[in-house]
Amino acid sequence: GESCMSSGEEIQAGPIIRKKVEGDIPSLRLYNTFFVEGIKIGWPFPAVMKPQRQMAIHLVKALKNRRHVVLESPTGTGKSAAILCSVLAWQRHHHKALFARHDPSSPPNSIDLEPKPQKVKIIYCSRTHSQVAQMVSSLKSTPYRPRMAILGSRERLCIHKSIKPRGNYAEIIPGINVTNECRNRTRNTEK
């Protein structure tokens, strides 16, 4: 098997298994799956590069220990795929573990007042809309299909043609503040 170095300790990542992953799209052809800390990560590419495996190790360890992690890696090292596949694989593993502990078939008793487990939400933030678009594009190549919502600014998402013209050659209308105009129109429709 392959091994990686992380924080001075050797972690056996195990052999790469060439099978379909249990996931959101079981029929999607995956090239690989690999394990990190007992979590099976579906991988949509022929090989897992060393930086990607190291990111997966750090991400999964941080998530298991409820810690923060800061990753820095040069362009082209597969950060998007490593982050998405690792975090979403952990989320599913965590969800299954929570529901295994909270057996819904067992009769409720007065001592067991533990609330029903909630699925962990993952929030991905980005500075630019193009970075969000790139992450969504990367997500499509993975076996994971989480429910998601993309939030954006009024400047970017305004649908009123009189405030923000559309099309390839649309010009910004001088003197219009999209945020203020949007608030005014929204305020007038909520009455």
Side-chain angles (χ1 to χ4, degrees):
E2 295 181 29
S3 64
C4 295
M5 296 300 289
S6 173
S7 305
E9 63 183 288
E10 187 172 323
I11 297 174
Q12 292 295 325
I16 292 178
I17 301 163
R18 297 186 184 282
K19 292 183 181 177
K20 293 179 182 174
V21 71
E22 294 174 25
D24 295 346
I25 304 180
S27 62
L28 182 68
R29 167 126 166 67
L30 292 178
Y31 288 101
N32 295 313
T33 60
F34 63 101
F35 286 84
V36 172
E37 299 270 319
I39 296 175
K40 186 177 185 179
I41 300 175
W43 195 251
F45 302 108
V48 182
M49 296 186 291
K50 186 177 178 181
Q52 292 168 322
R53 191 178 297 271
Q54 288 172 331
M55 281 185 259
I57 291 166
H58 288 293
L59 285 163
V60 169
K61 278 186 160 188
L63 289 165
K64 282 180 123 182
N65 295 307
R66 297 177 167 253
R67 307 292 296 177
H68 297 276
V69 65
V70 176
L71 301 172
E72 184 177 26
S73 190
T75 301
T77 54
K79 290 181 293 293
S80 297
I83 291 168
L84 288 169
C85 291
S86 301
V87 171
L88 293 170
W90 173 84
Q91 180 190 43
R92 278 133 186 86
H93 176 82
H94 180 72
H95 183 71
K96 285 179 185 176
L98 271 179
F99 278 88
R101 277 186 268 152
H102 184 274
D103 184 9
S105 63
S106 63
N109 63 39
S110 59
I111 299 170
D112 185 19
L113 299 175
E114 208 173 297
K116 186 177 177 181
Q118 297 289 315
K119 195 169 203 173
V120 173
K121 292 178 184 164
I122 297 169
I123 300 172
Y124 177 83
C125 300
S126 152
R127 191 176 57 83
T128 67
H129 290 282
S130 61
Q131 289 170 338
V132 171
Q134 191 269 330
M135 188 59 80
V136 171
S137 177
S138 293
L139 180 63
K140 289 177 183 177
S141 72
T142 74
Y144 306 104
R145 295 295 181 268
R147 215 170 41 165
M148 67 176 173
I150 299 172
L151 305 176
S153 67
R154 289 179 180 95
E155 290 284 334
R156 182 75 175 194
L157 301 175
C158 179
I159 60 169
H160 296 289
K161 291 179 184 173
S162 62
I163 297 173
K164 182 145 171 104
R166 298 274 182 222
N168 294 339
Y169 302 104
E171 293 185 25
I172 296 172
I173 300 171
I176 289 188
N177 181 317
V178 174
T179 300
N180 289 339
E181 289 295 321
C182 186
R183 282 190 184 130
N184 288 336
R185 287 174 188 247
T186 305
R187 191 177 313 123
N188 292 336
T189 60
E190 290 177 351
K191 292 180 181 176

